[in-house]
Amino acid sequence: MSWEPIIGLEIHIHLKTRTKMFCRCEVAYFEPENSRTCPVCLAHPGSLPVPNAKAIEWTIKLGLALDCEIAERAIFHRKNYFYPDNPKGYQISQYDEPLCRGGRLVMPGPEGDAEIGIVRAHLEEDAAKNVHVGGAEGRIGGATATLVDFNRAGAPLVEIVTQPDLRSADQARRFLQLLRQTIVELGISDAEMEKGSLRVDVNVSVRPEGSDELRTRTEMKNLNSFAFAARAIAREVERQIAVYEAGGEVEQETLHFDPGAESAPPLRSKEEAQDYRYFPEPDLVPVEPPRELVERVRAELRESPATRIRRIAAELDYDLSEELVTSGRDRLYERVPGDRRGVANVLMNQFAAAGVDPEAVDPEELGKLIEARSRIPRDKFTEALAASGDSGFAAEPYLGDGLVADTGELEPIVEKILDANPGQVEAYRGGKEGLLGFFVGQVMKETQGKADPQVVNELLRQKLS
Amino acid sequence: MAITKEEVLHVAKLARLELSDDEIDRFTDQLSAILESVDKVSELDLADVEPTAHPLDVVNVWADDEPRPSLPVDEALANAPEREAGFFKVPPA
Amino acid sequence: MKLETLRLTAEEGMGLLERGEVSAAELHGAYLEAISERDDELHAYLRTVDEADGPSIPIAFKDLISTRGVETTAGSKILAGYVPVYDATVATRCRETGLTLLGKTNMDEFAMGSSTENSAYGPTRNPWDPDRVPGGSSGGSAAAVAAGLAPWALGSDTGGSVKQPASLCGIVGLRPTYGSVSRYGIVAFASSLDQIGPMAKTVRDCALLYRIVAGRDPCDSTTVELPQPVEIPEREDLKGLRVGVPRELNDVEGIEPGVKEQVDRTIERCRELGAEVGETSLPRSVDYGLACYYLIAPSEASSNLARYDGVRYGLRVTGDDGVRAMYDRTRDAGFGDEPKRRIMLGTYALSAGYYEAYYGQAQKVRTVIAQEHAAAFESFDVLVSPTSPTVAFGLGEKTASPLAMYLSDVLTIPSNMAGLPGLSIPCGLSDGLPVGFQLIGPQFSENTLFQVGHALEHAIEFDFVPGRLA
């Protein structure tokens, strides 16, 4: 029996506005606890919310980038539940009249485009931060108290919900990367899982290939990286298949992962369906996005990552093209002259490792550097790359004398010479160190003088010792 | 009974109210009477009527993304029943 | 010179100050003295402020108006000792005009009630007869004004909590158009219904106070600019005005004959003053108004009161176990019966499976009520009725049955559901107790209400000083 994974995602991104969603406290990053609060985000009696105009505009921008329909009329709802990180006892969110609906994210690929449906994108406010303290070592959940910091309470979040259109753990990972890149390019969020500005919950089920049923799904929460999410999804898919093949039934469960201990098995819980008693937020009036606003924001959108992947894939392959775009290096790639694959490979490997901001680089100069890379010693090349973002960078000083310094190229030649002269090798090893010059000479003859003598020397010494 | 004792208990749990047995009995009676009374609204056939979204016809009330000063930490914590350093302290969740 | 505060209106008080006949401190002191004389019996105040902190006349605030540095309890134990770190916008506007805070007045807990008997701090007594209620939930503010313990006061009105106590205490009370006065800093009961309203001895005083507090507040997204400036009424006739008498509001079962007599007499006065008076109808608004209100208000309240959880302020009751037990015990100990009933009712009405039938349906009834009033206003400028079916009832008389108490609001609720303004003026006595006359207008028609109220007030010449205190 062949099985097909059915995967849907719920993504929360933290908008990088200056102030919170419903009050004008500055959004805090690493500030002392409770130093960015006010009567509104502390839910003091009598406080009232006032929406952040920028957050609304940016949500519309995200909706347009995801090909969503922007609602003619959207309202806020109250989602009622009790928890220490929820000061009002309700979260202001959106329910059945969200700001953005019915979009898609297109993932170009060698077999054609995969369209992943976006059910909706809506605005809501973040909860406070709970710190559980106390508790004996080794006891799970043995906290003696909870400390609450409301700095984060009220920060603006956009929740994006996909259709269950993803069909593999790897596709889910690539989707997240593409979505993240799309969001980052809009300038509305840093969308970094490690920093908490992007959170992902996953819904996973499986079904026999070819059928169109939807079976019970498992929810996974608190995944802290795309790679980990992919692994967790794959494991869960395997587990569910095993359950069905053994004749059992998959139960509805939520898996809570421990972000601090990846290898720990997740806590499983059968959460009772919560009754959130949604009702329209009476302290807020409806949002009817003016047409001029929507069109202005639409006009500001740049070329989508998907379009660029497709274009670049024409000269490379989809995988490399996708990597370039989702890592934010494709614009540089398109401006650097030279052999396409060579440039792409350097950008994705050595350049990536150098950690330089692609926006800061002079593409012409980088192009010269990459073209000459086989003639530059490795460490010098690394040094040059690290400096390539500096203003006024020029490749010239690093290009050297045109000698081949790449050990990768020289090593086989050195070995060839040594293989061809076993007698001299033995003599050298017996003490005739003067023979080093002979070997150097042979390599130079073989490379028609193009080899860098220093590198050759080094290689010979290594191999003769 | 328009509302049963079990329903009252369920609702009290949702609303995080710990009621005494006496309260449960008393409230079950009273809430039943009130519910019977407010159920009157179901007499009307209002299929074609829009619910009132807002008493006023106002939309798009937003504020610019400009910061205002936050409370000093001591004021934020001024009424806290229990605190630890700069945090609000509560029993474990 | 001992200043007699029983009869002094706010306008007169401001005149005295302007002419230098009295200082702000003296005026403030005179009221504090009156309070020490009469408030032990009446219990209109929960706490007073000793020093005048402004150059103008004093004012009393219902204790759900946040006052920075001054305890604010909303009449509940769950906020005992809570001292706000910010001022409500209406408090700021009063302060900026120079008004000085006299004190915080008693109220039904979280504004839930019609008699002030639901206060966790003991009831307030009616200055006309201390064995009777002052009405509610703004009973403390009404009693304070009526007994000369404040020149004027702010109350709040959700189902009638300004109009009804004004009626029972023989003073003037305005429930403004929804959205004309800021709710920022007002301890919330029902967000789509709550409004802060001025309570005073005369219509002109009411208008003056309304002018101070009304207008859009950027901190409250549900407020708007007034379409016209507030006019302080002058005219003493009603020529050119059309007064409508909705039969359902005037024929409700339970209207006392004495009340009906005074109201009918006042309607006759409208004619005498030159108004065109005619009958009209609000076919379903009165019949279904109470049910509509007692679904929507508790639903919103159940959510608004969720923040009282012992975490950040107010009462906390802990045990040995976790935070959920803390919530449960704190809320059980901190809330009185009426808030508990309404929280549970609201939670039920919003819960899964019941939302459409209860809350959803009630919001549709609300639309019907608004439409019926709008239709009536096509032919009339104001609609009139008694404010309350009865005069002040006895303490303890209606506390056994929540439903009996709810009926006190049957006449004030319908126009509230439509977000419409309503003014209550005293129009006479029945068995020695004040009767209130309710004037209802379309949205933002306060100037018309003031005009009609002022003309009637001038004609009726009601003596607002309670007989037993004169």
Side-chain angles (χ1 to χ4, degrees), chain A residues 42-47 49 78 80 83-84 87 90 275 283, chain C residues 82 86 183 185-186 191 221 303-304 307 312-313 327 351-352:
Chain A
L42 285 174
H44 281 181
S47 58
R78 291 192 186 180
N80 298 279
Y83 205 58
Y90 57 88
D275 184 358
D283 289 329
Chain C
Y82 165 68
Y86 76 112
R183 290 180 299 115
I186 309 306
S191 314
S221 315
S303 182
N304 285 329
R307 65 189 60 196
R312 287 145 289 115
Y313 45 76
Y327 291 154
S351 62

PDB file of all heavy atoms in Angstrom, chain A residues 42-47 49 78 80 83-84 87 90 275 283, chain C residues 82 86 183 185-186 191 221 303-304 307 312-313 327 351-352:
ATOM      1  N   LEU A  42      -1.521  45.954  29.646  1.00  0.00           N
ATOM      2  CA  LEU A  42      -1.625  45.284  30.943  1.00  0.00           C
ATOM      3  C   LEU A  42      -3.070  44.959  31.278  1.00  0.00           C
ATOM      4  O   LEU A  42      -3.348  44.392  32.333  1.00  0.00           O
ATOM      5  CB  LEU A  42      -1.046  46.174  32.054  1.00  0.00           C
ATOM      6  CG  LEU A  42       0.469  46.266  32.121  1.00  0.00           C
ATOM      7  CD1 LEU A  42       0.879  47.299  33.171  1.00  0.00           C
ATOM      8  CD2 LEU A  42       1.096  44.917  32.476  1.00  0.00           C
ATOM      9  N   ALA A  43      -3.984  45.353  30.409  1.00  0.00           N
ATOM     10  CA  ALA A  43      -5.411  45.093  30.624  1.00  0.00           C
ATOM     11  C   ALA A  43      -5.907  45.666  31.947  1.00  0.00           C
ATOM     12  O   ALA A  43      -6.630  44.999  32.695  1.00  0.00           O
ATOM     13  CB  ALA A  43      -5.707  43.587  30.560  1.00  0.00           C
ATOM     14  N   HIS A  44      -5.503  46.877  32.234  1.00  0.00           N
ATOM     15  CA  HIS A  44      -6.052  47.547  33.412  1.00  0.00           C
ATOM     16  C   HIS A  44      -7.533  47.809  33.202  1.00  0.00           C
ATOM     17  O   HIS A  44      -7.988  47.948  32.070  1.00  0.00           O
ATOM     18  CB  HIS A  44      -5.325  48.878  33.657  1.00  0.00           C
ATOM     19  CG  HIS A  44      -3.990  48.689  34.316  1.00  0.00           C
ATOM     20  ND1 HIS A  44      -3.172  49.736  34.651  1.00  0.00           N
ATOM     21  CD2 HIS A  44      -3.349  47.573  34.728  1.00  0.00           C
ATOM     22  CE1 HIS A  44      -2.069  49.271  35.235  1.00  0.00           C
ATOM     23  NE2 HIS A  44      -2.161  47.965  35.286  1.00  0.00           N
ATOM     24  N   PRO A  45      -8.318  47.886  34.275  1.00  0.00           N
ATOM     25  CA  PRO A  45      -9.742  48.162  34.102  1.00  0.00           C
ATOM     26  C   PRO A  45      -9.929  49.449  33.310  1.00  0.00           C
ATOM     27  O   PRO A  45      -9.243  50.444  33.567  1.00  0.00           O
ATOM     28  CB  PRO A  45     -10.235  48.341  35.558  1.00  0.00           C
ATOM     29  CG  PRO A  45      -9.220  47.664  36.413  1.00  0.00           C
ATOM     30  CD  PRO A  45      -7.924  47.767  35.695  1.00  0.00           C
ATOM     31  N   GLY A  46     -10.833  49.406  32.339  1.00  0.00           N
ATOM     32  CA  GLY A  46     -11.134  50.620  31.592  1.00  0.00           C
ATOM     33  C   GLY A  46     -10.274  50.863  30.374  1.00  0.00           C
ATOM     34  O   GLY A  46     -10.524  51.798  29.612  1.00  0.00           O
ATOM     35  N   SER A  47      -9.244  50.054  30.133  1.00  0.00           N
ATOM     36  CA  SER A  47      -8.374  50.323  28.980  1.00  0.00           C
ATOM     37  C   SER A  47      -9.038  49.841  27.698  1.00  0.00           C
ATOM     38  O   SER A  47      -9.891  48.955  27.722  1.00  0.00           O
ATOM     39  CB  SER A  47      -7.018  49.659  29.177  1.00  0.00           C
ATOM     40  OG  SER A  47      -7.168  48.265  29.361  1.00  0.00           O
ATOM     41  N   PRO A  49      -8.488  49.207  23.187  1.00  0.00           N
ATOM     42  CA  PRO A  49      -7.513  49.012  22.103  1.00  0.00           C
ATOM     43  C   PRO A  49      -7.679  50.038  20.984  1.00  0.00           C
ATOM     44  O   PRO A  49      -8.804  50.447  20.676  1.00  0.00           O
ATOM     45  CB  PRO A  49      -7.889  47.623  21.576  1.00  0.00           C
ATOM     46  CG  PRO A  49      -9.364  47.510  21.809  1.00  0.00           C
ATOM     47  CD  PRO A  49      -9.668  48.323  23.042  1.00  0.00           C
ATOM     48  N   ARG A  78     -13.074  38.655  19.561  1.00  0.00           N
ATOM     49  CA  ARG A  78     -12.440  38.277  20.820  1.00  0.00           C
ATOM     50  C   ARG A  78     -12.405  36.755  20.905  1.00  0.00           C
ATOM     51  O   ARG A  78     -13.400  36.094  20.647  1.00  0.00           O
ATOM     52  CB  ARG A  78     -13.245  38.807  22.003  1.00  0.00           C
ATOM     53  CG  ARG A  78     -13.203  40.311  22.155  1.00  0.00           C
ATOM     54  CD  ARG A  78     -13.783  40.702  23.497  1.00  0.00           C
ATOM     55  NE  ARG A  78     -13.887  42.140  23.644  1.00  0.00           N
ATOM     56  CZ  ARG A  78     -14.364  42.751  24.725  1.00  0.00           C
ATOM     57  NH1 ARG A  78     -14.796  42.029  25.737  1.00  0.00           N
ATOM     58  NH2 ARG A  78     -14.407  44.058  24.785  1.00  0.00           N
ATOM     59  N   ASN A  80     -11.846  34.103  23.688  1.00  0.00           N
ATOM     60  CA  ASN A  80     -11.858  34.102  25.152  1.00  0.00           C
ATOM     61  C   ASN A  80     -11.249  32.851  25.773  1.00  0.00           C
ATOM     62  O   ASN A  80     -11.673  31.739  25.479  1.00  0.00           O
ATOM     63  CB  ASN A  80     -13.318  34.221  25.646  1.00  0.00           C
ATOM     64  CG  ASN A  80     -13.968  35.525  25.213  1.00  0.00           C
ATOM     65  OD1 ASN A  80     -13.768  36.569  25.815  1.00  0.00           O
ATOM     66  ND2 ASN A  80     -14.761  35.459  24.151  1.00  0.00           N
ATOM     67  N   TYR A  83      -5.437  32.444  30.817  1.00  0.00           N
ATOM     68  CA  TYR A  83      -4.064  31.995  30.970  1.00  0.00           C
ATOM     69  C   TYR A  83      -3.254  33.199  31.438  1.00  0.00           C
ATOM     70  O   TYR A  83      -3.544  34.324  31.022  1.00  0.00           O
ATOM     71  CB  TYR A  83      -3.510  31.445  29.643  1.00  0.00           C
ATOM     72  CG  TYR A  83      -2.384  30.441  29.848  1.00  0.00           C
ATOM     73  CD1 TYR A  83      -2.595  29.294  30.614  1.00  0.00           C
ATOM     74  CD2 TYR A  83      -1.128  30.642  29.305  1.00  0.00           C
ATOM     75  CE1 TYR A  83      -1.575  28.387  30.838  1.00  0.00           C
ATOM     76  CE2 TYR A  83      -0.100  29.730  29.520  1.00  0.00           C
ATOM     77  CZ  TYR A  83      -0.332  28.610  30.281  1.00  0.00           C
ATOM     78  OH  TYR A  83       0.680  27.699  30.497  1.00  0.00           O
ATOM     79  N   PRO A  84      -2.229  32.992  32.292  1.00  0.00           N
ATOM     80  CA  PRO A  84      -1.512  34.165  32.811  1.00  0.00           C
ATOM     81  C   PRO A  84      -0.888  35.057  31.746  1.00  0.00           C
ATOM     82  O   PRO A  84      -0.683  36.244  31.983  1.00  0.00           O
ATOM     83  CB  PRO A  84      -0.412  33.555  33.696  1.00  0.00           C
ATOM     84  CG  PRO A  84      -0.881  32.186  34.024  1.00  0.00           C
ATOM     85  CD  PRO A  84      -1.732  31.736  32.889  1.00  0.00           C
ATOM     86  N   PRO A  87      -3.602  38.778  29.321  1.00  0.00           N
ATOM     87  CA  PRO A  87      -4.050  39.687  30.388  1.00  0.00           C
ATOM     88  C   PRO A  87      -5.537  40.040  30.355  1.00  0.00           C
ATOM     89  O   PRO A  87      -6.133  40.203  31.409  1.00  0.00           O
ATOM     90  CB  PRO A  87      -3.186  40.939  30.205  1.00  0.00           C
ATOM     91  CG  PRO A  87      -2.609  40.837  28.839  1.00  0.00           C
ATOM     92  CD  PRO A  87      -2.535  39.381  28.505  1.00  0.00           C
ATOM     93  N   TYR A  90      -8.978  37.531  27.108  1.00  0.00           N
ATOM     94  CA  TYR A  90      -9.318  37.256  25.718  1.00  0.00           C
ATOM     95  C   TYR A  90      -8.205  37.837  24.853  1.00  0.00           C
ATOM     96  O   TYR A  90      -7.521  38.777  25.251  1.00  0.00           O
ATOM     97  CB  TYR A  90     -10.684  37.839  25.311  1.00  0.00           C
ATOM     98  CG  TYR A  90     -10.854  39.328  25.503  1.00  0.00           C
ATOM     99  CD1 TYR A  90     -10.494  40.240  24.520  1.00  0.00           C
ATOM    100  CD2 TYR A  90     -11.397  39.823  26.690  1.00  0.00           C
ATOM    101  CE1 TYR A  90     -10.655  41.608  24.716  1.00  0.00           C
ATOM    102  CE2 TYR A  90     -11.559  41.185  26.887  1.00  0.00           C
ATOM    103  CZ  TYR A  90     -11.191  42.074  25.902  1.00  0.00           C
ATOM    104  OH  TYR A  90     -11.343  43.436  26.106  1.00  0.00           O
ATOM    105  N   ASP A 275     -13.584  25.949  23.981  1.00  0.00           N
ATOM    106  CA  ASP A 275     -14.684  26.787  23.502  1.00  0.00           C
ATOM    107  C   ASP A 275     -14.272  28.233  23.680  1.00  0.00           C
ATOM    108  O   ASP A 275     -14.313  28.766  24.786  1.00  0.00           O
ATOM    109  CB  ASP A 275     -15.953  26.467  24.321  1.00  0.00           C
ATOM    110  CG  ASP A 275     -17.168  27.219  23.811  1.00  0.00           C
ATOM    111  OD1 ASP A 275     -17.025  28.012  22.857  1.00  0.00           O
ATOM    112  OD2 ASP A 275     -18.267  27.007  24.361  1.00  0.00           O
ATOM    113  N   ASP A 283     -15.145  46.868  21.097  1.00  0.00           N
ATOM    114  CA  ASP A 283     -14.343  48.065  21.309  1.00  0.00           C
ATOM    115  C   ASP A 283     -13.641  48.520  20.035  1.00  0.00           C
ATOM    116  O   ASP A 283     -12.912  49.524  20.056  1.00  0.00           O
ATOM    117  CB  ASP A 283     -13.276  47.808  22.384  1.00  0.00           C
ATOM    118  CG  ASP A 283     -13.880  47.694  23.776  1.00  0.00           C
ATOM    119  OD1 ASP A 283     -14.914  48.346  24.036  1.00  0.00           O
ATOM    120  OD2 ASP A 283     -13.315  46.955  24.603  1.00  0.00           O
TER     121      ASP A 283
ATOM    122  N   TYR C  82      -7.478  48.763  44.709  1.00  0.00           N
ATOM    123  CA  TYR C  82      -6.882  49.016  43.394  1.00  0.00           C
ATOM    124  C   TYR C  82      -6.778  50.541  43.199  1.00  0.00           C
ATOM    125  O   TYR C  82      -7.772  51.256  43.283  1.00  0.00           O
ATOM    126  CB  TYR C  82      -7.743  48.392  42.297  1.00  0.00           C
ATOM    127  CG  TYR C  82      -7.403  48.897  40.906  1.00  0.00           C
ATOM    128  CD1 TYR C  82      -6.183  48.580  40.300  1.00  0.00           C
ATOM    129  CD2 TYR C  82      -8.300  49.692  40.200  1.00  0.00           C
ATOM    130  CE1 TYR C  82      -5.871  49.053  39.028  1.00  0.00           C
ATOM    131  CE2 TYR C  82      -8.001  50.167  38.929  1.00  0.00           C
ATOM    132  CZ  TYR C  82      -6.780  49.847  38.352  1.00  0.00           C
ATOM    133  OH  TYR C  82      -6.480  50.318  37.107  1.00  0.00           O
ATOM    134  N   TYR C  86      -3.565  55.639  35.961  1.00  0.00           N
ATOM    135  CA  TYR C  86      -3.905  56.554  34.876  1.00  0.00           C
ATOM    136  C   TYR C  86      -5.316  57.099  35.118  1.00  0.00           C
ATOM    137  O   TYR C  86      -6.099  56.544  35.889  1.00  0.00           O
ATOM    138  CB  TYR C  86      -3.817  55.847  33.522  1.00  0.00           C
ATOM    139  CG  TYR C  86      -4.963  54.915  33.177  1.00  0.00           C
ATOM    140  CD1 TYR C  86      -5.842  55.223  32.147  1.00  0.00           C
ATOM    141  CD2 TYR C  86      -5.160  53.715  33.859  1.00  0.00           C
ATOM    142  CE1 TYR C  86      -6.886  54.369  31.808  1.00  0.00           C
ATOM    143  CE2 TYR C  86      -6.204  52.861  33.545  1.00  0.00           C
ATOM    144  CZ  TYR C  86      -7.059  53.190  32.507  1.00  0.00           C
ATOM    145  OH  TYR C  86      -8.101  52.339  32.179  1.00  0.00           O
ATOM    146  N   ARG C 183     -15.030  56.195  26.633  1.00  0.00           N
ATOM    147  CA  ARG C 183     -15.071  55.127  27.653  1.00  0.00           C
ATOM    148  C   ARG C 183     -13.666  54.752  28.123  1.00  0.00           C
ATOM    149  O   ARG C 183     -13.513  53.792  28.896  1.00  0.00           O
ATOM    150  CB  ARG C 183     -15.755  53.877  27.080  1.00  0.00           C
ATOM    151  CG  ARG C 183     -17.246  54.028  26.840  1.00  0.00           C
ATOM    152  CD  ARG C 183     -17.861  52.747  26.279  1.00  0.00           C
ATOM    153  NE  ARG C 183     -17.290  52.352  25.000  1.00  0.00           N
ATOM    154  CZ  ARG C 183     -16.576  51.235  24.802  1.00  0.00           C
ATOM    155  NH1 ARG C 183     -16.364  50.390  25.793  1.00  0.00           N
ATOM    156  NH2 ARG C 183     -16.095  50.957  23.608  1.00  0.00           N
ATOM    157  N   GLY C 185     -10.829  54.368  30.297  1.00  0.00           N
ATOM    158  CA  GLY C 185     -10.655  54.507  31.739  1.00  0.00           C
ATOM    159  C   GLY C 185     -11.918  54.199  32.524  1.00  0.00           C
ATOM    160  O   GLY C 185     -11.918  54.262  33.754  1.00  0.00           O
ATOM    161  N   ILE C 186     -12.987  53.865  31.825  1.00  0.00           N
ATOM    162  CA  ILE C 186     -14.230  53.504  32.504  1.00  0.00           C
ATOM    163  C   ILE C 186     -14.250  51.990  32.652  1.00  0.00           C
ATOM    164  O   ILE C 186     -14.211  51.266  31.654  1.00  0.00           O
ATOM    165  CB  ILE C 186     -15.460  53.948  31.681  1.00  0.00           C
ATOM    166  CG1 ILE C 186     -15.349  55.419  31.291  1.00  0.00           C
ATOM    167  CG2 ILE C 186     -16.746  53.662  32.456  1.00  0.00           C
ATOM    168  CD1 ILE C 186     -15.124  56.350  32.455  1.00  0.00           C
ATOM    169  N   SER C 191     -19.522  46.795  26.543  1.00  0.00           N
ATOM    170  CA  SER C 191     -18.800  47.758  25.708  1.00  0.00           C
ATOM    171  C   SER C 191     -19.641  48.479  24.669  1.00  0.00           C
ATOM    172  O   SER C 191     -19.357  49.632  24.355  1.00  0.00           O
ATOM    173  CB  SER C 191     -17.662  47.035  24.987  1.00  0.00           C
ATOM    174  OG  SER C 191     -16.971  46.211  25.884  1.00  0.00           O
ATOM    175  N   SER C 221     -11.613  53.987  20.241  1.00  0.00           N
ATOM    176  CA  SER C 221     -11.930  53.876  18.814  1.00  0.00           C
ATOM    177  C   SER C 221     -13.411  53.983  18.509  1.00  0.00           C
ATOM    178  O   SER C 221     -13.788  54.085  17.349  1.00  0.00           O
ATOM    179  CB  SER C 221     -11.497  52.516  18.257  1.00  0.00           C
ATOM    180  OG  SER C 221     -10.227  52.170  18.675  1.00  0.00           O
ATOM    181  N   SER C 303     -16.987  38.655  29.064  1.00  0.00           N
ATOM    182  CA  SER C 303     -15.652  38.799  28.489  1.00  0.00           C
ATOM    183  C   SER C 303     -14.887  39.940  29.150  1.00  0.00           C
ATOM    184  O   SER C 303     -13.707  39.817  29.485  1.00  0.00           O
ATOM    185  CB  SER C 303     -15.806  39.047  26.981  1.00  0.00           C
ATOM    186  OG  SER C 303     -14.564  39.159  26.355  1.00  0.00           O
ATOM    187  N   ASN C 304     -15.571  41.080  29.381  1.00  0.00           N
ATOM    188  CA  ASN C 304     -14.913  42.227  29.997  1.00  0.00           C
ATOM    189  C   ASN C 304     -14.439  41.938  31.413  1.00  0.00           C
ATOM    190  O   ASN C 304     -13.483  42.550  31.891  1.00  0.00           O
ATOM    191  CB  ASN C 304     -15.855  43.439  30.023  1.00  0.00           C
ATOM    192  CG  ASN C 304     -15.998  44.093  28.655  1.00  0.00           C
ATOM    193  OD1 ASN C 304     -15.062  44.076  27.860  1.00  0.00           O
ATOM    194  ND2 ASN C 304     -17.157  44.655  28.389  1.00  0.00           N
ATOM    195  N   ARG C 307     -10.710  39.776  32.905  1.00  0.00           N
ATOM    196  CA  ARG C 307      -9.391  40.265  33.301  1.00  0.00           C
ATOM    197  C   ARG C 307      -9.221  40.287  34.830  1.00  0.00           C
ATOM    198  O   ARG C 307      -8.101  40.482  35.310  1.00  0.00           O
ATOM    199  CB  ARG C 307      -9.161  41.660  32.735  1.00  0.00           C
ATOM    200  CG  ARG C 307     -10.085  42.736  33.287  1.00  0.00           C
ATOM    201  CD  ARG C 307      -9.937  44.031  32.500  1.00  0.00           C
ATOM    202  NE  ARG C 307     -10.278  43.825  31.105  1.00  0.00           N
ATOM    203  CZ  ARG C 307      -9.946  44.680  30.124  1.00  0.00           C
ATOM    204  NH1 ARG C 307      -9.286  45.771  30.406  1.00  0.00           N
ATOM    205  NH2 ARG C 307     -10.281  44.417  28.880  1.00  0.00           N
ATOM    206  N   ARG C 312      -2.655  40.699  37.938  1.00  0.00           N
ATOM    207  CA  ARG C 312      -1.937  41.971  37.814  1.00  0.00           C
ATOM    208  C   ARG C 312      -2.405  43.038  38.778  1.00  0.00           C
ATOM    209  O   ARG C 312      -1.723  44.051  38.966  1.00  0.00           O
ATOM    210  CB  ARG C 312      -2.082  42.514  36.388  1.00  0.00           C
ATOM    211  CG  ARG C 312      -1.280  41.760  35.334  1.00  0.00           C
ATOM    212  CD  ARG C 312      -2.010  41.689  33.999  1.00  0.00           C
ATOM    213  NE  ARG C 312      -3.145  40.809  34.080  1.00  0.00           N
ATOM    214  CZ  ARG C 312      -4.396  41.202  33.948  1.00  0.00           C
ATOM    215  NH1 ARG C 312      -4.676  42.436  33.663  1.00  0.00           N
ATOM    216  NH2 ARG C 312      -5.379  40.338  34.065  1.00  0.00           N
ATOM    217  N   TYR C 313      -3.587  42.893  39.365  1.00  0.00           N
ATOM    218  CA  TYR C 313      -4.119  43.911  40.290  1.00  0.00           C
ATOM    219  C   TYR C 313      -5.333  43.311  40.992  1.00  0.00           C
ATOM    220  O   TYR C 313      -5.823  42.256  40.614  1.00  0.00           O
ATOM    221  CB  TYR C 313      -4.527  45.187  39.556  1.00  0.00           C
ATOM    222  CG  TYR C 313      -5.319  44.935  38.290  1.00  0.00           C
ATOM    223  CD1 TYR C 313      -6.660  44.571  38.347  1.00  0.00           C
ATOM    224  CD2 TYR C 313      -4.702  45.043  37.045  1.00  0.00           C
ATOM    225  CE1 TYR C 313      -7.370  44.312  37.182  1.00  0.00           C
ATOM    226  CE2 TYR C 313      -5.410  44.783  35.888  1.00  0.00           C
ATOM    227  CZ  TYR C 313      -6.736  44.418  35.958  1.00  0.00           C
ATOM    228  OH  TYR C 313      -7.433  44.161  34.808  1.00  0.00           O
ATOM    229  N   TYR C 327      -7.502  31.491  40.026  1.00  0.00           N
ATOM    230  CA  TYR C 327      -8.555  32.181  39.294  1.00  0.00           C
ATOM    231  C   TYR C 327      -9.911  31.885  39.928  1.00  0.00           C
ATOM    232  O   TYR C 327     -10.691  32.778  40.218  1.00  0.00           O
ATOM    233  CB  TYR C 327      -8.650  31.680  37.844  1.00  0.00           C
ATOM    234  CG  TYR C 327      -7.514  32.029  36.927  1.00  0.00           C
ATOM    235  CD1 TYR C 327      -7.231  31.211  35.832  1.00  0.00           C
ATOM    236  CD2 TYR C 327      -6.732  33.163  37.118  1.00  0.00           C
ATOM    237  CE1 TYR C 327      -6.212  31.514  34.950  1.00  0.00           C
ATOM    238  CE2 TYR C 327      -5.706  33.464  36.250  1.00  0.00           C
ATOM    239  CZ  TYR C 327      -5.448  32.635  35.164  1.00  0.00           C
ATOM    240  OH  TYR C 327      -4.435  32.924  34.301  1.00  0.00           O
ATOM    241  N   SER C 351     -21.593  30.523  24.169  1.00  0.00           N
ATOM    242  CA  SER C 351     -20.889  29.253  24.046  1.00  0.00           C
ATOM    243  C   SER C 351     -21.301  28.501  22.791  1.00  0.00           C
ATOM    244  O   SER C 351     -22.335  28.771  22.169  1.00  0.00           O
ATOM    245  CB  SER C 351     -21.091  28.393  25.292  1.00  0.00           C
ATOM    246  OG  SER C 351     -22.453  28.078  25.460  1.00  0.00           O
ATOM    247  N   ALA C 352     -20.442  27.567  22.437  1.00  0.00           N
ATOM    248  CA  ALA C 352     -20.604  26.811  21.210  1.00  0.00           C
ATOM    249  C   ALA C 352     -21.974  26.165  21.160  1.00  0.00           C
ATOM    250  O   ALA C 352     -22.395  25.501  22.091  1.00  0.00           O
ATOM    251  CB  ALA C 352     -19.510  25.743  21.130  1.00  0.00           C
TER     252      ALA C 352
END
